[in-house]
Amino acid sequence: MTEVILATSDRAVVPVHALYDGDLAGFLEGRPAFVKAFAETGEFKAKAGQLLVLPNAEGGIERVLFGLGSSPADPMVFRALPAKLPAGDYRMAVAPVGISADQIALAFALGSYRFDRYKQKKTAERPRLVAEGVDIAEVNSIAHACALARDMVNTPANDLGPLQLETIAREIAEQHGASITVITGEGLLEANYPAVHAVGRAAVEARAPRMIEITWGEAGKPLVALVGKGVVFDTGGLDIKPSAGMRQMKKDMGGAAAVLGLARMIMAAKLPVRLAVLMPVVENAISGDAMRPGDILDSRKGLTIEVGNTDAEGRLILADALTRAAELEPALTLDLATLTGAARAALGPQLPPFYTDDDELAGQIETAMNQVSDPMWRMPLWKGYVDALDSDIADIKNDPDGWAQAGSVTAALFLQRFAPAGPWAHFDIFAWNPRGRPGWTAGAEAQAIRALYQMIRTRFA
């Protein structure tokens, strides 16, 4: 990722004035008449995300006005700024009330993201922000981790299969002095990951399923387990998805991408924790060896699982990974997964739900997400739906009875059967922007991980 946040610049730096709508009249008062004329001609009202470029006598840019809307503003409004500015170097003339320089710099960096790997014509030179009084290393570390997750999700499945995901995990582990183990193919049965093997066994040998485990940190520190769903492509299996439902299934490894990004933030900051990053990685393919509706699968925990629907595969591989997490006796377990369409039906693409029975943890997550403007919504682990997962012939089934209806809730209840004791939270992320808007390009999005990074650094401070 090219750096867009700088400490200094050897070029002319254009000032940016960020204004609340209530402050606009006071700002224009006493300014040269042409400034007010430009504002009136351009209908600049300081609405959130609105931009006005004021030229100088030489035909360049004298200054920029950027609207924040009503006070207080969401700091993420600054994500729109780089998408609207001409190339060049800029600085904030005055930090607006209620928004820190670090928040502005991070939003600017996140909004500068582009994915042009497959375009012959690459993205032209981008605007850069010369940030004063900012922890630039920290801002760039978070922005780079989010860009990594987005790059992985944006990359099509023909270029990002299980082996490629493993390669990225190995590179991150090596960069930060972490250990990594990978169990592949038939080795999953020997190592007692039967559900991971069952979901991924239909793929060709070059895209064999695997279990990836990264460990990092000093002995004696509290252990944080990060579990990420890594389905590199989801056909739905024998319960095949329609073409419209399959079109974006390259993003079904968004949970694994997210936990790798989060782990990278934690390791770069050297937070006082140990990490166990657990990623079951598979392709849910169709072949003569594919799991079938009605099959009974073993799991690492010993519970048998009836497969009612082969398109509910993510919870199967997470069951084995969460069981492995429990064996490590973590102080905190977080799992992230692009798990259900029901979560989108409930809350839409911008607001991922999370689930936990731990009120203290929920409060810490909510505080952190508000601090860093990384929105989520707590949903209930409603025990009235538990028996929708009862099977007549196995311990549990992966597709709940239709009467329960709440598909994201019942998926979380399924995972809870396998989750470690103690603090645990499940995040049903979308990892995708279905439409582009300034600062949020269409395609992959890094959801939840900035809030979780903030929560972890506070919780274990």
Side-chain angles (χ1 to χ4, degrees):
M1 179 180 175
T2 304
E3 303 291 10
V4 296
I5 307 299
L6 310 173
T8 60
S9 172
D10 56 4
R11 302 190 296 189
V13 181
V14 177
V16 177
H17 297 265
L19 301 167
Y20 290 110
D21 51 13
D23 297 333
L24 178 59
F27 175 84
L28 294 176
E29 188 70 30
R31 299 277 171 178
F34 84 92
V35 175
K36 187 173 183 180
F38 264 96
E40 291 176 351
T41 302
E43 298 184 347
F44 182 78
K45 304 294 185 184
K47 296 178 181 178
Q50 197 175 16
L51 188 81
L52 181 66
V53 176
L54 300 176
N56 58 26
E58 291 76 35
I61 302 175
E62 195 254 336
R63 67 185 65 244
V64 172
L65 307 185
F66 183 66
L68 301 177
S70 57
S71 178
D74 181 348
M76 287 297 115
V77 69
F78 285 94
R79 284 183 67 150
L81 190 53
K84 297 183 175 187
L85 285 172
D89 289 354
Y90 299 84
R91 65 174 177 83
M92 299 307 302
V94 179
V97 175
I99 303 177
S100 72
D102 286 86
Q103 290 174 315
I104 294 171
L106 179 57
F108 191 98
L110 294 172
S112 299
Y113 175 82
R114 299 290 182 275
F115 185 74
D116 58 8
R117 173 177 173 179
Y118 296 96
K119 289 183 176 289
Q120 186 174 21
K121 184 179 180 180
K122 302 297 183 182
T123 303
E125 183 184 2
R126 290 176 292 175
R128 305 185 301 181
L129 181 67
V130 180
E132 300 172 353
V134 168
D135 187 342
I136 291 177
E138 171 79 354
V139 167
N140 282 331
S141 175
I142 295 172
H144 287 189
C146 291
L148 167 71
R150 296 170 80 179
D151 282 350
M152 292 175 68
V153 173
N154 274 325
T155 301
N158 60 314
D159 282 338
L160 200 144
L163 177 59
Q164 289 76 25
L165 201 156
E166 174 190 331
T167 300
I168 295 169
R170 288 188 181 278
E171 290 173 351
I172 293 172
E174 181 179 356
Q175 180 183 1
H176 295 283
S179 301
I180 183 170
T181 58
V182 181
I183 303 167
T184 307
E186 296 303 304
L188 291 165
L189 294 176
E190 298 173 11
N192 194 24
Y193 291 101
V196 178
H197 179 270
V199 173
R201 71 190 184 206
V204 297
E205 185 176 354
R207 299 171 72 84
R210 60 206 65 206
M211 183 69 197
I212 301 172
E213 182 171 334
I214 297 172
T215 55
W216 173 88
E218 300 176 7
K221 302 293 186 183
L223 177 65
V224 176
L226 305 178
V227 181
K229 172 187 170 185
V231 179
V232 297
F233 193 81
D234 182 17
T235 64
L238 292 178
D239 289 313
I240 190 168
K241 293 178 181 288
S243 59
M246 207 185 300
R247 176 62 180 87
Q248 303 298 350
M249 282 301 101
K250 67 178 184 179
K251 78 176 188 67
D252 214 18
M253 37 61 66
V259 299
L260 278 176
L262 176 55
R264 183 172 167 177
M265 292 182 204
I266 292 168
M267 292 188 290
K270 295 181 172 56
L271 296 189
V273 298
R274 287 181 296 137
L275 281 183
V277 185
L278 306 169
M279 294 174 291
V281 181
V282 301
E283 178 162 15
N284 190 19
I286 300 172
S287 76
D289 198 26
M291 64 175 177
R292 296 163 289 266
D295 282 358
I296 306 293
L297 306 183
D298 292 323
S299 71
R300 186 177 183 86
K301 189 170 184 176
L303 296 176
T304 55
I305 306 171
E306 181 183 5
V307 179
N309 189 324
T310 63
D311 194 23
E313 85 298 333
R315 66 200 70 185
L316 298 176
I317 63 174
L318 288 171
D320 277 358
L322 286 167
T323 301
R324 170 58 181 159
E327 295 163 6
L328 302 173
E329 299 182 345
L332 173 66
T333 304
L334 307 171
D335 79 71
L336 289 87
T338 51
L339 203 61
T340 70
R344 255 42 66 195
L347 297 175
Q350 298 177 16
L351 191 62
F354 75 94
Y355 298 83
T356 181
D357 268 346
D358 188 313
D359 290 338
E360 180 182 10
L361 175 59
Q364 291 173 346
I365 293 169
E366 289 169 347
T367 296
M369 74 187 192
N370 290 327
Q371 289 172 337
V372 301
S373 298
D374 195 6
M376 291 177 277
W377 193 266
R378 187 184 183 186
M379 295 274 277
L381 284 160
W382 186 252
K383 299 303 186 283
Y385 300 148
V386 168
D387 56 357
L389 297 168
D390 289 346
S391 167
D392 293 334
I393 57 174
D395 294 315
I396 193 171
K397 61 185 178 184
N398 76 331
D399 65 327
D401 292 332
W403 63 262
Q405 301 184 55
S408 182
V409 178
T410 52
L413 290 168
F414 179 96
L415 296 181
Q416 191 176 35
R417 290 286 297 274
F418 300 88
W424 161 75
H426 160 61
F427 301 82
D428 194 341
I429 62 174
F430 193 45
W432 197 256
N433 293 318
R435 71 177 180 98
R437 62 196 197 278
W440 286 263
T441 56
E445 186 54 73
Q447 293 181 318
I449 59 176
R450 291 188 295 108
L452 295 181
Y453 171 65
Q454 175 71 10
M455 180 272 290
I456 290 168
R457 70 181 302 158
T458 302
R459 182 181 177 99
F460 297 103

